[in-house]
Amino acid sequence: MDNFVVSARKYRPLGFDEVVGQEHITTTLKNAIDNNKLAQALLFCGPRGVGKTTCARIVARLINGFEEKAEVNSLNIFELDAASNNSVEDIRSLIDQVRYPPQFGRFKVYIIDEVHMLSNAAFNAFLKTLEEPPSYAIFILATTEKHKVIPTILSRCQMFDFNRIQVSDIARQLKKIADRENIQVEDEALHLIAQKADGALRDGLSIFDLMVTFSSNHKVTFSDVLNNLHILDYDYYFKMVDGLLAENATTPLLLLDEILKKGFDGQNFIGGLGEHLRNLLVSQDARTVNLMEVPDNIKQKYLSQAQAAPPSLLLSWLNIASTCDINYRASKNQRLLVELALMKMAYVNSAFQIGVPAEAGLKKKVN
């Protein structure tokens, strides 16, 4: 069996033009390198799987004039994982290496990943070298938790904040990879994988590999992704809202029973229902429709259902769903809590209509 290489490694960007969703970072770095104005200490901050280490490797290659498409395999580039090398001795060893100039190439580049894991003593030992490094040394620090890096380190670095990658960008990149691998994949499936990735392209690629492995015929379908990732289909929420709009609790309760029997968690359902109601609210105005991160065919369903649901009613339902979500963990009868929330939603209009005449009669008596 040939050695399998995961997509996150196989398709790791080798140039700035291949980096996804970080144009503000790549443009700045490229200009700094082209104009010979690159700082000697850089701090890359941002969520996991968005390209921090990748960009650090690209910078290391470009400033040394190495072949851009070549793999990192050079004595000029050092990578240190601060999660497992976080002591003063580890930093002193690194400082000892910095004293020697590069044997070839212009710069020695030190990439320190998860730098926030260094101990305070290690940070303090690193300060002087970071502030006044030799002319041939470049330090690139990467972290997912900038707030844990001590201020004296932050003040010595040029900071770059990486963004969470948009769902549309992740889906587009997955489509490119699927085409290159001759894998048939439905657009809805890619969009669902991208949503599940939660802004991390690496996570999206890992899920994509899992789905391809599951599909023996090299075809990834929307239903396969739903089943494997244990995600509730959009249709359940559309049916649920249709039942609530009919002011009949029977359909929502039967749907909830079906959902729970399939092994879905009640809190995941109520959270998903809240997201669905939020999407219906933003569908009410053409200017906010693009705030929905859903496939185009699903977007049309939202626009259609939103016409039958007044904003005031959706806000009332969203408030009920939010309260249920907050109280879910503390409840001793969690199923009843969700059922009660659905019944409140189903009859919330009736409750308002009963309450209005009563208030009017009370005012008449007062007058």
Side-chain angles (χ1 to χ4, degrees):
M1 186 177 70
D2 293 334
N3 288 333
F4 173 70
V5 181
V6 296
S7 296
R9 286 183 57 201
K10 187 175 181 180
Y11 294 102
R12 181 190 284 272
L14 297 173
F16 284 136
D17 56 324
E18 298 175 17
V19 176
V20 178
Q22 307 296 347
E23 288 76 12
H24 64 298
I25 302 282
T26 56
T27 302
T28 306
L29 289 173
K30 191 173 186 306
N31 290 342
I33 294 168
D34 290 345
N35 297 318
N36 199 24
K37 292 184 177 179
L38 187 71
Q40 285 193 268
L42 310 175
L43 179 63
F44 291 174
C45 322
R48 69 186 190 282
V50 295
K52 298 185 297 297
T53 305
T54 294
C55 284
R57 290 178 179 178
I58 294 170
V59 168
R61 280 200 300 271
L62 291 181
I63 61 176
N64 277 301
F66 296 155
E67 180 61 37
E68 189 172 322
K69 302 300 179 184
E71 285 292 328
V72 174
N73 185 17
S74 166
L75 294 173
N76 289 50
I77 302 168
F78 303 87
E79 290 195 30
L80 178 73
D81 177 23
S84 53
N85 301 278
N86 55 9
S87 66
V88 176
E89 288 73 20
D90 294 315
I91 293 299
R92 282 177 181 160
S93 174
L94 183 146
I95 293 169
D96 287 338
Q97 291 181 38
V98 173
R99 292 185 183 136
Y100 303 101
Q103 294 180 355
F104 62 94
R106 294 180 57 201
F107 296 97
K108 290 176 79 172
V109 182
Y110 295 87
I111 301 170
I112 306 178
D113 211 0
E114 302 299 337
V115 73
H116 65 272
M117 298 291 284
L118 289 177
S119 64
N120 277 335
F123 272 131
N124 290 327
F126 194 28
L127 284 176
K128 191 64 178 173
T129 302
L130 197 64
E131 185 174 17
E132 296 178 359
S135 59
Y136 52 78
I138 301 286
F139 293 97
I140 305 178
L141 317 181
T143 178
T144 53
E145 300 182 55
K146 183 171 70 172
H147 62 279
K148 289 186 178 179
V149 180
I150 62 174
T152 46
I153 291 287
L154 294 177
S155 66
R156 287 164 168 79
C157 296
Q158 194 173 80
M159 283 181 276
F160 293 84
D161 290 302
F162 284 68
N163 295 331
R164 290 175 72 255
I165 302 173
Q166 297 295 315
V167 170
S168 56
D169 290 335
I170 295 176
R172 198 177 300 115
Q173 182 68 7
L174 293 177
K175 178 65 175 171
K176 287 180 184 176
I177 292 172
D179 291 342
R180 289 175 67 174
E181 295 287 335
N182 294 319
I183 296 167
Q184 295 180 2
V185 59
E186 295 176 1
D187 289 340
E188 292 84 358
L190 290 178
H191 206 280
L192 201 57
I193 292 171
Q195 278 186 307
K196 192 71 174 177
D198 193 28
L201 181 56
R202 185 174 61 219
D203 289 6
L205 291 168
S206 298
I207 297 169
F208 176 74
D209 285 343
L210 180 67
M211 295 301 104
V212 172
T213 305
F214 172 79
S215 60
S216 56
N217 57 353
H218 271 251
K219 185 175 182 180
V220 178
T221 64
F222 180 68
S223 59
D224 286 344
V225 176
L226 280 175
N227 293 332
N228 275 272
L229 298 184
H230 204 58
I231 298 173
L232 202 54
D233 194 351
Y234 291 108
D235 285 342
Y236 277 107
Y237 295 117
F238 284 111
K239 290 176 186 175
M240 187 70 69
V241 169
D242 286 339
L244 294 173
L245 287 170
E247 298 189 20
N248 185 347
T250 304
T251 301
L253 291 177
L254 290 174
L255 279 171
L256 175 64
D257 182 63
E258 184 181 338
I259 289 165
L260 295 178
K261 282 179 178 176
K262 287 191 172 185
F264 289 97
D265 180 61
Q267 189 167 28
N268 286 343
F269 159 73
I270 205 70
L273 181 59
E275 178 70 16
H276 184 86
L277 297 174
R278 175 261 184 194
N279 286 343
L280 287 174
L281 270 170
V282 300
S283 299
Q284 305 273 341
D285 192 324
R287 293 170 297 178
T288 55
V289 166
N290 289 330
L291 294 178
M292 288 190 292
E293 293 184 330
V294 296
D296 289 337
N297 63 324
I298 302 297
K299 194 175 288 186
Q300 293 305 316
K301 287 186 178 182
Y302 274 114
L303 292 170
S304 176
Q305 192 172 65
Q307 293 176 359
S312 57
L313 181 61
L314 290 173
L315 281 170
S316 299
W317 287 352
L318 197 53
N319 187 41
I320 294 169
S322 178
T323 303
C324 178
D325 190 24
I326 291 167
N327 297 327
Y328 188 87
R329 290 297 173 198
S331 174
K332 291 184 178 179
N333 191 337
Q334 294 172 334
R335 175 169 180 152
L336 179 60
L337 183 71
V338 178
E339 288 177 336
L340 183 60
L342 292 175
M343 287 186 276
K344 284 180 180 177
M345 291 180 196
Y347 300 120
V348 70
N349 253 346
S350 304
F352 281 139
Q353 288 167 5
I354 292 169
V356 170
E359 287 178 15
L362 187 62
K363 286 179 182 176
K364 196 177 286 184
K365 284 183 182 178
V366 171
N367 291 335

